[in-house]
Amino acid sequence: MKILSIQSAVAYGHVGNSAAVFPLQRIGVEVLPVYTVNFSNHTGYGAWRGPLISPDDVREVITGIEERGVFGEIDVVLSGYQGGEGIGDVILDAVARVKAANPSAIYACDPVMGNAKSGCFVAPAIPVLLRERVVPAADLITPNQFELGFLTGTEPTDLASTLASADAARALGPSTVLVTSVERPDRPEGTIEMLVVTDDGAWIVQTPHIPMKANGSGDVTAALFTAHFRTSGDAADALAKTVSSVYDLLSLTHASGQRELQLVEAQEFYAHPRMQFPVTRVR
């Protein structure tokens, strides 16, 4: 499998491509990373150095890949945080060109906008771009519960309303929606859930909630689920493997006392998920 991953990069820590590439490689995926920024560290520190890469330069890199004749071999285009409207246009253009070369290729989009605690932290134009142009072009999206509501104009809370919101998102274009952080009021205390909805059904998995802010964990989640699902076509199995790997990554990071994901130290959990959490079909 080959994945064209268009995301940010940092030298220190793990977000964007600096979070997604290694886990994908560890499970045997060939990744073609294209960077949208090249920062010293993620912006959560409040200070960072390094350049934003202009949309024209990002497009040039993608065109250079196309000129090597490999677009027909790309199975997935993956994108995450989009810093500006210009990058969105470049990504959509790349998706169209990859799909022209390989009609079986899919576009997986992590529609990064914010979360319930921080609210929306992207430029005001980005949610509109995602909702009106990017998500309709995607085959798979991986929003958190807050982003799902923002995209669909709904308020997902309990399981029924979250399923309805996922269906509203699927009506925009993507056939598969992975909701990466479901916090419904009737769940057991100290737990969190992940939900996937496809044409074939819906499945949920519950894990203990690890009390930490883990920048980049959503990027790892989107990458692993996309690869597993693209490989097997089995949403429940892809969900089980992804949740197992990400939980163990977060657990290891929390135990280390470090702020940054212990991405390399957790590598065996990507290659050999423990499958410790049952997946329940809910529709």
Side-chain angles (χ1 to χ4, degrees):
M1 180 188 300
K2 285 187 172 67
I3 294 182
L4 177 66
S5 183
I6 308 170
Q7 301 194 58
S8 60
V10 294
Y12 174 71
H14 302 288
V15 299
N17 268 334
S18 301
V21 171
F22 177 67
L24 287 172
Q25 291 172 331
R26 191 63 182 82
I27 64 172
V29 175
E30 183 73 34
V31 188
L32 288 70
V34 175
Y35 302 138
T36 56
V37 308
N38 188 12
F39 287 166
S40 56
N41 51 268
H42 69 69
T43 59
Y45 286 97
W48 65 94
R49 294 180 182 272
L52 285 163
I53 300 174
S54 76
D56 286 344
D57 286 339
V58 176
R59 192 188 304 270
E60 279 292 290
V61 172
I62 294 170
T63 298
I65 296 170
E66 183 179 31
E67 289 171 347
R68 301 288 72 75
V70 297
F71 270 16
E73 302 170 14
I74 292 174
D75 301 287
V76 179
V77 179
L78 174 65
S79 71
Y81 171 76
Q82 298 185 18
E85 293 177 82
I87 292 295
D89 290 334
V90 172
I91 291 169
L92 289 172
D93 181 58
V95 169
R97 288 153 64 188
V98 167
K99 286 191 170 188
N102 179 13
S104 67
I106 68 166
Y107 172 35
C109 170
D110 184 6
V112 178
M113 289 182 282
N115 56 60
K117 291 182 180 179
S118 305
C120 196
F121 52 63
V122 297
I126 297 301
V128 177
L129 171 72
L130 289 169
R131 184 176 60 247
E132 295 183 358
R133 296 185 56 212
V134 177
V135 167
D139 301 285
L140 162 64
I141 61 171
T142 59
N144 59 37
Q145 198 170 16
F146 170 84
E147 291 161 344
L148 177 65
F150 212 101
L151 283 172
T152 58
T154 60
E155 294 186 12
T157 52
D158 59 7
L159 179 58
S161 61
T162 303
L163 285 167
S165 295
D167 286 339
R170 289 181 353 105
L172 295 174
S175 58
T176 301
V177 175
L178 175 71
V179 189
T180 58
S181 57
V182 178
E183 299 183 68
R184 50 183 171 140
D186 57 340
R187 75 192 188 280
E189 186 176 355
T191 65
I192 193 167
E193 294 167 312
M194 199 176 295
L195 170 75
V196 64
V197 184
T198 75
D199 291 339
D200 298 322
W203 295 265
I204 199 166
V205 61
Q206 186 178 94
T207 73
H209 179 254
I210 299 173
M212 63 176 292
K213 182 178 181 180
N215 295 89
S217 59
D219 303 317
V220 176
T221 301
L224 287 176
F225 179 83
T226 297
H228 288 312
F229 186 47
R230 179 61 172 156
T231 297
S232 69
D234 185 332
D237 180 69
L239 181 63
K241 288 177 177 174
T242 301
V243 168
S244 175
S245 298
V246 172
Y247 177 83
D248 281 335
L249 166 63
L250 293 178
S251 182
L252 182 66
T253 301
H254 186 251
S256 76
Q258 298 296 310
R259 176 172 180 173
E260 294 292 343
L261 291 176
Q262 300 299 287
L263 196 78
V264 175
E265 292 81 352
Q267 62 180 287
E268 287 303 310
F269 297 130
Y270 322 137
H272 307 289
R274 292 192 295 144
M275 306 295 275
Q276 67 271 49
F277 302 109
V279 174
T280 302
R281 184 165 191 149
V282 291
R283 193 171 69 194

